[in-house]
Amino acid sequence: MMETATTNGDFETTTTTTTTPETTTTTRHQQRVFLEAVRTGDMTQLRQLLVGLRPCGVNVNEFNVDGQTALHHSCLTGNLDLVKLLVRSVVYRV
């Protein structure tokens, strides 16, 4: 098991994973890209990430140190398009 901390502007997270080192490196990179896209509201990048999710991919339910997920962050920043994208995402479990 590995615990990592990621900081992207307002979105700071701690993740615990139980994957291989190779998968963890890829996952951490994808997670950083996802969090940065959430923070900046990059809908093109977010669509690409959400369509391309794999079991070892991005965790859209990851929460930050304040207990907020990408959906919370999107609501708080008023990004309705991202809220809709996350809610419509098949993998998003509320």
Side-chain angles (χ1 to χ4, degrees):
M1 185 163 23
M2 175 182 286
E3 189 170 297
T4 58
T6 305
T7 303
N8 274 332
D10 297 332
F11 216 77
E12 184 177 326
T13 63
T14 301
T15 306
T16 302
T17 57
T18 56
T19 56
T20 64
E22 298 82 23
T23 304
T24 301
T25 300
T26 302
T27 303
R28 277 188 284 177
H29 172 72
Q30 291 172 330
Q31 199 67 37
R32 281 192 298 267
V33 170
F34 173 73
L35 295 175
E36 180 64 17
V38 168
R39 190 181 70 75
T40 62
D42 185 345
M43 295 299 293
T44 302
Q45 182 69 52
L46 288 163
R47 282 188 190 98
Q48 289 174 353
L49 288 168
L50 291 174
V51 169
L53 284 175
R54 290 178 178 57
C56 64
V58 175
N59 177 5
V60 296
N61 295 315
E62 184 174 305
F63 54 90
N64 65 14
V65 295
D66 297 322
Q68 297 176 348
T69 64
L71 182 59
H72 293 123
H73 183 77
S74 302
C75 290
L76 290 171
T77 59
N79 189 338
L80 183 58
D81 290 334
L82 179 53
V83 170
K84 289 177 183 178
L85 179 64
L86 290 168
V87 169
R88 288 180 184 151
S89 174
V90 175
V91 298
Y92 203 94
R93 305 279 192 253
V94 178

